[in-house]
Amino acid sequence: MRIKWFSLVRITGLVLVLTYHFFQTQFTGGFIGVDIFFTFSGFLITSLMVDEFARSDNFKLMAFYGRRFYRIVPPLFIAVLLVLPLTYLIDHDFVTDIGKQVAAALGFTTNYFEIATGGSYENKFIPHLFVHTWSLAVEMHFYILWGLIAWLVAKISRRLASGRRALTRFRWGLGLLTTAFAIESFVMMYFGAVGLKDFSPVYFSSLTHCFPFFVGGLIGVLSGIKAQGPIYRWTTAHCNPIIAGAVMLISFILLVALGDRMKFDALQTYQGGLLLATVLAGIMIYGARLLHDHTPNLKEPRWMTFLADVSYSVYLYHWPLYVIFSHMMVNWLAALLTTVLSIILSALSYYVLEPVIAGKRAHVFGHTVTWRQLQLPVITAGVLLAVNTGVVVKNAPQLSTLEQNLWVSGIYQDIDKIGTTHEAVLAAVTPKKKQATPKGDQEKAPGVSIIGDSVTLGTRSYLGDHVANSNIDAEGDRTMNLAYKVMMNQQRSHTLRQYVVICIGTNALDDYEEQTMKIIHDLEPGHKLILMTPYNARADADWNSSKLAVLERRLPAKYKFITVADWGKIAAQHPEVFKGTDGVHFGGIRAGDILYAKVINQALTAAKQTPAKPA
């Protein structure tokens, strides 16, 4: 039994996800589309469980697992095989460690693989081609667990009663468990998000992000599909098509508004935002269920059912295709090409390949297609694609060029620190003749102390050779408060040089202004401070990094010892420096090294004309 208007729920989830991935800085909360999918899956699966028990007084666990396997696994395998040949079109860095990505995707462990590797849609140097399959992992974990629980509840219900009483017990059992699991999962996300800078661990985890399934499951228990519950029967008796349609429309509008306002890196997203999206999705599902019963003579448009049919496969294809195309062409064209090709491949998968693989007949433009007809081309193509997958995996680098560059730079920096520490110790124990301390700029050790993050670390070797008399201390994921600690440590050990360059900001936290002012206030007199504005090609004006740049540009008017090295402005004028990168790092691209050093040297030249920090 196909419920009309459920297609709108699926399409809403798909459009939100696609819009988020294509226009991440403009539609920052579209990731809630995944929560719509989760809620709908929980509703549909639980409703079908109730229907099966009402029909047969039983729930067959292995049959349930078999249906889930054929719906999820073949399209995923097909998508992986078809996507990997397209990786030859882009830089080899994009298949870095691709073997582990494929293994995680096909093994339904991508969510925990991404947690372990620090992956995210938002902050990956080179985005993983299959990072989006994290949601399939969470979904599969739900199916395995919930199927087993439902089977146990069915057995207990049959032992305690029979007929309608057994069904009532089955409903109550599932209803209580869905409520308990939903509350437990949300509470784990709520408290697990506290104190996090990167929220990927609570977003990706099956434990903290499974509550939408159980919220949907609770709605499924209450409404059912064929075996309607008493609450649903009462609701539908007091409803009409206008009310049901209004419920769907209002929840849809609120979901879009939420997608426009929510942010991945905001604490409130995990302490209520995702729950609100889940509740709205549940209301939309319930409204669609009511509208189905109140529009018996109205057919769902064919385009709507088509998009709903292919929505799962479109989700599978769109992310890797977009990653590939967005590094080959302008964003709008990449989004358009991704959408069109995803729909074509998904239709081929859903209407042709999946049915024949399952031993069913496929229907293509009025023609019946069987496995016997497609056996040779499908097997041949499958073997060739499988061989290609093996070749891509075998030849994939273990580290991207940027990661290699950061790793090597980190080693050299550690070596330099050992040398600096040795010199400082010798200086401390070697007696010196007392000399009068000159005033002004000469009070501090001559030279430049550069304190930076992963952007600086990536170009450290070049900077050391092209910024005269410089000492560089850079580290990935460094924030302003951590830069403050480095500066104060150098200041206490008397290794902080006259010119202090702070190249921090891409990882700016909410307290960026407070931490910046601490650097300004606690820097000792005699130093000159240079603040390098951050650059992120994806950042909007309301990102912390963008707001930090605005703050830094205003500071020289108040503090004469501060000079701004406006990397944020200069970098934006040279997009070629970031071609094929994440829009932040350019490590390994010589033009980026040259430009970065030039901006610092120009600021140092300008700083020579400014006074040092007064006492």
Side-chain angles (χ1 to χ4, degrees):
M1 177 181 178
R2 181 162 190 152
I3 303 297
K4 293 177 296 186
W5 318 122
F6 275 173
S7 297
L8 286 172
V9 179
R10 287 174 169 168
I11 293 170
T12 299
L14 181 65
V15 170
L16 287 176
V17 170
L18 264 60
T19 307
Y20 167 64
H21 287 160
F22 296 160
F23 310 103
Q24 196 174 101
T25 59
Q26 290 80 31
F27 196 67
T28 57
F31 52 84
I32 63 172
V34 171
D35 295 271
I36 296 175
F37 284 133
F38 283 178
T39 308
F40 182 76
S41 293
F43 164 83
L44 188 61
I45 292 305
T46 307
S47 296
L48 293 175
M49 288 174 172
V50 173
D51 280 3
E52 182 179 346
F53 192 89
R55 182 177 62 253
S56 63
D57 198 33
N58 195 11
F59 173 70
K60 296 180 180 179
L61 180 61
M62 297 313 296
F64 169 76
Y65 285 157
R67 290 192 298 271
R68 293 297 87 207
F69 176 87
Y70 279 112
R71 180 67 190 99
I72 294 176
V73 176
L76 176 60
F77 269 81
I78 294 169
V80 170
L81 292 175
L82 290 177
V83 162
L84 287 181
L86 296 176
T87 60
Y88 292 113
L89 299 175
I90 54 176
D91 193 278
H92 202 48
D93 278 348
F94 283 86
V95 294
T96 299
D97 222 9
I98 195 69
K100 291 181 180 178
Q101 293 184 51
V102 171
L106 300 182
F108 297 98
T109 57
T110 296
N111 57 335
Y112 292 113
F113 172 74
E114 294 298 330
I115 290 173
T117 58
S120 170
Y121 291 126
E122 300 271 336
N123 60 4
K124 199 66 185 172
F125 293 156
I126 299 295
H128 286 172
L129 292 178
F130 300 109
V131 62
H132 66 310
T133 61
W134 74 269
S135 64
L136 302 186
V138 178
E139 190 165 359
M140 185 62 80
H141 301 163
F142 165 75
Y143 290 150
I144 293 172
L145 174 66
W146 191 230
L148 181 60
I149 291 174
W151 177 74
L152 291 173
V153 173
K155 286 178 69 77
I156 295 171
S157 300
R158 289 172 58 197
R159 285 188 179 183
L160 296 177
S162 60
R164 295 187 62 83
R165 292 182 63 189
L167 177 60
T168 300
R169 290 181 182 274
F170 185 65
R171 280 186 185 273
W172 270 98
L174 295 186
L176 291 173
L177 288 171
T178 52
T179 303
F181 288 150
I183 293 173
E184 182 180 15
S185 175
F186 174 70
V187 168
M188 289 177 68
M189 174 176 279
Y190 185 96
F191 289 105
V194 176
L196 293 181
K197 181 186 119 180
D198 174 19
F199 295 99
S200 296
V202 292
Y203 184 73
F204 285 141
S205 173
S206 298
L207 296 175
T208 54
H209 207 157
C210 65
F211 63 86
F213 290 104
F214 292 112
V215 171
L218 179 59
I219 298 171
V221 170
L222 296 175
S223 69
I225 300 294
K226 291 183 178 179
Q228 299 174 1
I231 293 179
Y232 178 78
R233 289 197 296 270
W234 182 90
T235 306
T236 194
H238 294 79
C239 185
N240 60 54
I242 295 177
I243 294 176
V247 166
M248 285 195 69
L249 179 60
I250 292 172
S251 57
F252 168 78
I253 292 173
L254 292 176
L255 281 168
V256 173
L258 201 60
D260 182 58
R261 302 299 300 173
M262 198 176 291
K263 295 183 184 299
F264 188 87
D265 59 354
L267 179 61
Q268 56 265 35
T269 294
Y270 307 92
Q271 293 191 331
L274 294 179
L275 178 62
L276 177 58
T278 296
V279 171
L280 290 173
I283 293 172
M284 189 176 183
I285 291 167
Y286 203 81
R289 181 73 184 85
L290 291 170
L291 190 61
H292 169 84
D293 285 344
H294 285 280
T295 55
N297 299 319
L298 190 62
K299 289 185 177 181
E300 197 174 52
R302 184 69 188 94
W303 66 267
M304 198 179 292
T305 57
F306 168 76
L307 288 179
D309 286 344
V310 301
S311 60
Y312 168 56
S313 291
V314 169
Y315 179 81
L316 291 178
Y317 286 105
H318 87 280
W319 175 253
L321 292 181
Y322 175 66
V323 170
I324 292 169
F325 294 145
S326 63
H327 288 83
M328 298 173 58
M329 57 195 73
V330 294
N331 190 66
W332 70 267
L333 185 56
L336 178 62
L337 184 57
T338 295
T339 303
V340 172
L341 189 55
S342 293
I343 291 175
I344 293 173
L345 292 175
S346 299
L348 174 65
S349 176
Y350 183 83
Y351 292 111
V352 180
L353 297 178
E354 294 172 45
V356 298
I357 289 173
K360 301 176 182 178
R361 293 176 180 270
H363 300 280
V364 183
F365 300 115
H367 298 283
T368 301
V369 180
T370 64
W371 170 248
R372 179 175 294 180
Q373 293 172 292
L374 295 180
Q375 183 176 9
L376 182 59
V378 168
I379 291 177
T380 302
V383 169
L384 292 175
L385 290 171
V387 170
N388 174 74
T389 299
V391 172
V392 172
V393 169
K394 184 177 182 297
N395 295 328
Q398 296 300 305
L399 292 173
S400 68
T401 303
L402 173 59
E403 289 168 328
Q404 292 176 39
N405 191 51
L406 293 177
W407 184 69
V408 172
S409 296
I411 292 176
Y412 280 116
Q413 176 167 281
D414 291 340
I415 294 173
D416 289 345
K417 281 185 177 179
I418 293 173
T420 302
T421 303
H422 181 256
E423 291 173 3
V425 171
L426 287 178
V429 300
T430 302
K432 292 184 179 180
K433 293 181 179 180
K434 288 187 177 181
Q435 296 180 350
T437 303
K439 296 182 179 181
D441 293 351
Q442 299 305 315
E443 291 182 357
K444 300 303 175 184
V448 183
S449 289
I450 300 176
I451 301 172
D453 54 19
S454 58
V455 178
T456 311
L457 183 60
T459 187
R460 185 180 184 279
S461 178
Y462 185 88
L463 277 185
D465 293 336
H466 293 83
V467 177
N469 197 11
S470 62
N471 174 62
I472 304 167
D473 189 313
E475 186 174 308
D477 292 328
R478 181 174 280 169
T479 49
M480 196 67 77
N481 61 312
L482 298 177
Y484 172 82
K485 291 181 179 179
V486 173
M487 185 190 79
M488 295 304 292
N489 286 336
Q490 292 186 12
Q491 197 161 257
R492 281 190 290 268
S493 63
H494 305 290
T495 58
L496 190 67
R497 301 184 180 183
Q498 179 187 4
Y499 293 87
V500 180
V501 184
I502 303 294
C503 307
I504 299 290
T506 305
N507 307 300
L509 303 178
D510 290 340
D511 63 348
Y512 65 89
E513 183 171 0
E514 175 189 348
Q515 297 299 332
T516 302
M517 298 311 296
K518 282 181 65 177
I519 285 178
I520 294 171
H521 292 153
D522 292 349
L523 180 68
E524 289 182 343
H527 289 288
K528 297 184 179 184
L529 181 61
I530 295 172
L531 298 175
M532 195 160 191
T533 59
Y535 176 73
N536 185 337
R538 301 178 302 157
D540 280 343
D542 61 347
W543 285 37
N544 285 340
S545 60
S546 300
K547 290 187 281 190
L548 171 61
V550 172
L551 170 67
E552 290 177 335
R553 292 180 184 119
R554 293 200 305 258
L555 291 173
K558 183 176 181 181
Y559 302 97
K560 301 304 180 183
F561 62 92
I562 294 179
T563 303
V564 170
D566 210 338
W567 173 245
K569 179 180 178 181
I570 301 301
Q573 299 170 359
H574 295 272
E576 71 280 359
V577 168
F578 301 93
K579 187 176 182 180
T581 74
D582 60 354
V584 175
H585 304 84
F586 53 85
I589 300 176
R590 182 45 58 98
D593 295 335
I594 295 172
L595 186 63
Y596 198 80
K598 180 180 178 181
V599 171
I600 290 180
N601 281 322
Q602 287 177 341
L604 288 169
T605 300
K608 290 179 180 179
Q609 309 304 317
T610 66
K613 183 178 180 179

